[in-house]
Amino acid sequence: MFAILIVFTSLLFVLAACGNESEQEASDSGSGDTESSDNEKAAEEDSGKPYIAIISKGFQHQFWQAVQSGAEKAAEEFNVEITFEGPENESQVDKQMEMLRAALDKQPDAIGFAALDSQASSPLLEEADEKGIPIIAFDSGVDSEIPLTTASTDNYAAAALAADKMAELIGEKGKIALVVHDQVSVTGAQRRDGFVETIEEKYPDIEIVDVQYGKGDHLESTNLAKTMMQANPDLAGIYGSNEGSAIGVVNAVRELGKEEEVTVIGFDSGKQQIDAIKDGVMAGAITQNPEGIGYETVKAAVSAINGEEVPENIDTGFYWYDQTNLEDEEIQAAVYE
């Protein structure tokens, strides 16, 4: 009996020792995670570089990848750290607000922001302002006094040029329609208003029969454009206000076999638009300077961090391109695939 008690007691000691060892390992493991996180944070702090959080309107289009490329070039040139992110598509306002919230929580030295919805972002922009974090708007301006500057295309003027080209190509008469990416962003409103108001003011024999909003989604824009052409068999032209809208219009024209009847004018660039221009399905388009937008956003943020004045607006320019000038050097520098 005494021998059995000795064996049992020894077994308890062994189990207790194993338990303590496991607890220690778990503790060590947890400590390691914390240490790793702390090391990452310390590494960021030790880099000594200002940190700029950039929130775009999306990642869906090649346009945004070109903007990111320009931002990264500027970050390297000005020796700053940046992060660049955006929602999966340009209808995800809530997702963009979550990203802006997370960026604020990281306490960056500056924020670059392209608003999907100016009104929805107002509370967070006010919080950034209260914390002294400079905001640089880009691409789509923000309907607010808080951003120090906006690096963007003059979208109203660019849309007005698109309207002039449409009028020229259809002989300044006939029915036309618009597929616009949205009506809540500044770019959506300006690219609609610049086009519509130019047509209404300068071309009395052109009738705008429909304006629809496809959220920049090419499938939804395709359906909208098909409905427009079916409702108006004599439609002379359709204007798509961004990459997704324009691709949708091109696809609709192809599906209905209207290549010889409907003049398509686009906005932005991308491989499918360039191919459509080469094929003659799209007459031409407005291209911005996306790399320039990204570059100027980071450059302005660095100036703001250093306490330097920045201009109220930074015009990054735009061009009309079609089959006649697609290979020109200045156009090739602005289009992207």
Side-chain angles (χ1 to χ4, degrees):
M1 184 65 180
F2 179 73
I4 293 174
L5 284 174
I6 291 175
V7 171
F8 182 73
T9 302
S10 299
L11 182 60
L12 287 178
F13 274 117
V14 170
L15 291 173
C18 289
N20 288 338
E21 187 176 347
S22 297
E23 288 176 7
Q24 184 61 44
E25 287 176 353
S27 175
D28 288 344
S29 176
S31 173
D33 288 343
T34 303
E35 188 176 324
S36 175
S37 176
D38 289 342
N39 285 341
E40 290 174 2
K41 184 177 180 181
E44 288 180 7
E45 291 173 350
D46 289 345
S47 75
K49 296 180 180 180
Y51 167 53
I52 302 167
I54 300 177
I55 313 294
S56 74
K57 291 170 69 176
F59 253 102
Q60 171 184 35
H61 301 139
Q62 292 164 321
F63 175 85
W64 295 113
Q65 295 162 25
V67 174
Q68 181 178 4
S69 175
E72 289 172 345
K73 286 181 181 177
E76 183 175 355
E77 179 177 332
F78 295 107
N79 197 31
V80 296
E81 297 283 350
I82 68 166
T83 52
F84 192 104
E85 58 184 339
E88 293 177 0
N89 64 63
E90 296 179 23
S91 64
Q92 294 180 309
V93 175
D94 290 345
K95 183 69 175 179
Q96 191 189 46
M97 291 305 97
E98 291 173 9
M99 290 176 168
L100 183 56
R101 172 75 269 166
L104 271 171
D105 290 342
K106 293 178 183 174
Q107 300 183 336
D109 295 292
I111 292 177
F113 184 58
L116 282 171
D117 186 329
S118 290
Q119 296 302 317
S121 60
S122 291
L124 292 178
L125 294 181
E126 289 171 4
E127 181 180 331
D129 190 44
E130 290 170 359
K131 291 180 176 179
I133 300 172
I135 301 290
I136 307 297
F138 69 98
D139 180 62
S140 183
V142 180
D143 188 17
S144 165
E145 298 295 324
I146 292 175
L148 299 179
T149 186
T150 301
S152 69
T153 305
D154 183 340
N155 285 288
Y156 188 96
L161 175 59
D164 286 331
K165 292 293 183 181
M166 174 68 83
E168 176 185 337
L169 290 165
I170 65 172
E172 299 189 9
K173 62 181 179 182
K175 296 178 180 178
I176 62 172
L178 291 77
V179 177
V180 182
H181 50 287
D182 67 65
Q183 53 186 328
V184 294
S185 72
V186 175
T187 57
Q190 290 184 343
R191 292 182 197 177
R192 175 197 61 204
D193 295 346
F195 189 94
V196 169
E197 292 174 8
T198 298
I199 293 293
E200 291 178 344
E201 291 171 6
K202 298 174 65 176
Y203 306 103
D205 295 329
I206 296 177
E207 179 186 5
I208 297 175
V209 296
D210 203 357
V211 179
Q212 294 292 332
Y213 302 91
K215 301 176 184 177
D217 180 83
H218 71 277
L219 294 175
E220 188 165 343
S221 299
T222 298
N223 292 331
L224 291 172
K226 287 169 68 176
T227 301
M228 289 173 171
M229 288 184 281
Q230 290 163 343
N232 301 275
D234 56 345
L235 201 63
I238 306 179
Y239 160 64
S241 69
N242 78 343
E243 184 179 345
S245 307
I247 294 303
V249 174
V250 166
N251 291 340
V253 167
R254 283 185 170 136
E255 288 182 25
L256 296 184
K258 294 270 191 178
E259 293 93 331
E260 303 298 324
E261 303 171 38
V262 178
T263 296
V264 179
I265 299 289
F267 207 112
D268 291 327
S269 177
K271 187 177 187 312
Q272 292 185 71
Q273 282 203 79
I274 292 172
D275 288 345
I277 288 174
K278 290 178 177 176
D279 294 343
V281 180
M282 179 178 286
I286 300 293
T287 183
Q288 306 180 76
N289 181 4
E291 283 210 3
I293 291 173
Y295 181 91
E296 292 295 340
T297 298
V298 172
K299 181 181 177 182
V302 171
S303 296
I305 292 169
N306 292 334
E308 300 167 359
E309 288 191 9
V310 293
E312 185 175 349
N313 293 291
I314 302 171
D315 185 354
T316 52
F318 60 87
Y319 304 95
W320 166 262
Y321 69 104
D322 56 21
Q323 287 184 347
T324 66
N325 68 349
L326 183 55
E327 302 302 325
D328 289 357
E329 185 176 347
E330 66 177 8
I331 300 300
Q332 284 296 307
V335 298
Y336 47 91
E337 297 189 12

